[in-house]
Amino acid sequence: MYKAKAYSAASATAPFAADTIPRRETTERDVQIEILFCGICHSDLHTVRDEWSSVMPTTYPCVPGHEIVGKVTKVGSAATNFKPGDLVGVGCMVDSDHSCPHCHDGLEQFCNNATFTYNSADKHGTAPVTYGGYSESIVVDESFVLRVPANLHLAGVAPLLCAGITTYSPIRRWGDLAGKKVGVVGLGGLGHMGVKFARAFGAQVVVFTTSPSKREDALRLGAHEVIVSTNDEEMKQHAGTFNFILDTIAADHDINAYINMLGRDGNITLVGAPESPLQLSAFALLFGRKSISGSLIGGIAETQEMLDFCGEHNITSDVEIIPIQKINEAYERLVKSDVKYRFSIDMSSLKSE
Ligand code: NAP
Ligand code: ZN
């Protein structure tokens, strides 16, 4: 075991503060990674503030961060995929049982024994729970380590490990989107990646936003049109016309208003995870045989496919780079949707702690 510098929160209401955390020495199949950048996902905020207490209560101290890019510093004797110096990424999972039907299907995120990157039981017993990427280093089983394309800007790659795969996976699963009308609800960390992917797959992309000030950005990011969802007239004009809608909203909202935007057999997929249940009108689904689904990140193979796709198409997240010392301020801004469009923490800032 060794000690790594990190930023942790001691309770749901405590601000982040500098800390040191235990990390295990590399076992045979492990890779040790020096973390260079870590994105700030809204799930980090939900977890730190214990907003998902009814489903996944938070254990403190909590060290979030599951949008990790870094450099390999050490490999275990039986780890064959990586060598020191390689640029790599780690997303929301660091292990699974490798043997259940979900793991066999490459859908490790649904494994009943999946170990998530933070706030998950630590089966190595290094600490009560796993600690995430707001830290100088991490040790991960090599089968959960991803290769990062060399041509991309690393700070903008970090958010691909969660925001990227979470939007890429349901968009790919929906099928051939060429020429289809696709809506992305909420232009935040996930939403702006959804726009980039839907556009790259040839869809007619429409952004629904509550923030009129994001209109120009949405178009720049690849949307063909923007609807301000608080404007009833704009909403009415598009009712019944969408094939597929990806809903990324992090807070309570009227889901029926977006179901009404779908055409016959249209689907709305939820990736946003508001803390309280949404109210669903059965009638909104019945007329038009519409469906509603959910999607959770993506498997490891699909995450690598997404990273390779981003390398080929030069896709990264639009980031605001911050030092770790600005983390509490960044959280306040994230709640207000005041970030374009993901904070990426420059982990070299931890060296001065
Ligand atoms: P984010 O950067 O905060 O973006 C969320 C966006 O939702 C905001 O930018 C805002 O967009 C819109 N929004 C926020 N509050 C709203 C409200 N009260 N009413 C309507 N719209 C609102 O968050 P994120 O990191 O993209 O995460 C979004 C959600 O996805 C979170 O709940 C997160 O936990 C969840 N998530 C799920 C998965 C998964 O695997 N399913 C993975 C990662 C994250 P506008 O300003 O454009 O309206
Ligand atoms: Zn996330």
Side-chain angles (χ1 to χ4, degrees), residues 8-337:
S8 71
S11 75
T13 51
F16 281 102
D19 198 357
T20 56
I21 53 168
R23 294 287 195 197
R24 68 177 181 270
E25 296 295 342
T26 47
T27 67
E28 280 191 334
R29 290 169 46 80
D30 280 338
V31 171
Q32 185 191 53
I33 300 161
E34 177 194 353
I35 300 175
L36 299 176
F37 291 95
C38 184
I40 301 179
C41 177
H42 208 114
S43 301
D44 299 352
L45 187 148
H46 288 305
T47 305
V48 165
R49 299 190 176 178
D50 209 11
E51 291 175 352
W52 290 337
S53 58
S54 58
V55 189
M56 291 180 278
T58 304
T59 299
Y60 297 92
C62 175
V63 180
H66 56 205
E67 295 186 334
I68 297 167
V69 290
K71 203 161 51 175
V72 173
T73 43
K74 219 193 254 183
V75 295
S77 57
T80 52
N81 296 337
F82 300 96
K83 57 179 189 324
D86 286 352
L87 287 177
V88 293
V90 176
C92 301
M93 299 176 278
V94 287
D95 210 351
S96 68
D97 64 21
H98 303 267
S99 59
C100 73
H102 303 300
C103 290
H104 279 301
D105 290 344
L107 295 167
E108 300 87 353
Q109 72 272 34
F110 303 125
C111 171
N112 288 332
N113 299 306
T115 306
F116 292 95
T117 306
Y118 58 81
N119 198 44
S120 202
D122 180 358
K123 70 182 185 195
H124 293 266
T126 317
V129 288
T130 50
Y131 295 134
Y134 298 2
S135 170
E136 62 185 345
S137 70
I138 192 165
V139 178
V140 180
D141 182 296
E142 71 163 354
S143 51
F144 284 77
V145 178
L146 288 310
R147 280 189 186 285
V148 167
N151 57 316
L152 300 177
H153 172 47
L154 281 186
V157 170
L160 300 179
L161 276 304
C162 175
I165 184 60
T166 301
T167 50
Y168 179 92
S169 182
I171 288 172
R172 288 290 281 161
R173 189 171 155 70
W174 177 249
D176 183 7
L177 285 180
K180 299 272 167 55
K181 190 164 173 183
V182 171
V184 176
V185 187
L187 195 68
L190 266 55
H192 91 291
M193 291 311 307
V195 170
K196 291 186 187 205
F197 288 131
R199 180 66 188 245
F201 291 125
Q204 174 73 19
V205 185
V206 181
V207 164
F208 293 92
T209 181
T210 58
S211 313
S213 61
K214 293 183 183 173
R215 193 185 285 273
E216 290 310 310
D217 271 349
L219 298 172
R220 175 181 60 76
L221 291 163
H224 295 90
E225 277 181 86
V226 181
I227 299 174
V228 175
S229 51
T230 48
N231 182 323
D232 289 344
E233 271 314 303
E234 284 186 41
M235 290 290 274
K236 256 190 220 150
Q237 275 169 28
H238 290 264
T241 63
F242 284 82
N243 300 103
F244 176 70
I245 295 177
L246 189 67
D247 182 345
T248 77
I249 297 180
D252 191 23
H253 61 286
D254 178 14
I255 183 80
N256 305 298
Y258 298 102
I259 295 174
N260 285 336
M261 295 292 121
L262 293 170
R264 197 190 69 214
D265 292 320
N267 170 269
I268 182 163
T269 294
L270 303 182
V271 285
E275 58 182 301
S276 41
L278 299 171
Q279 289 258 348
L280 177 68
S281 153
F283 285 102
L285 292 176
L286 303 184
F287 285 92
R289 203 166 53 185
K290 300 167 186 175
S291 62
I292 180 166
S293 325
S295 190
L296 182 74
I297 47 175
I300 291 299
E302 193 178 36
T303 305
Q304 188 63 63
E305 175 192 307
M306 177 275 309
L307 285 168
D308 296 343
F309 181 86
C310 289
E312 278 161 34
H313 296 263
N314 218 7
I315 293 175
T316 52
S317 169
D318 286 31
V319 291
E320 177 177 337
I321 300 173
I322 57 160
I324 188 80
Q325 291 78 8
K326 294 254 184 204
I327 185 102
N328 292 309
E329 198 182 301
Y331 268 52
E332 291 315 309
R333 288 180 50 199
L334 181 61
V335 177
K336 296 183 199 137
S337 304

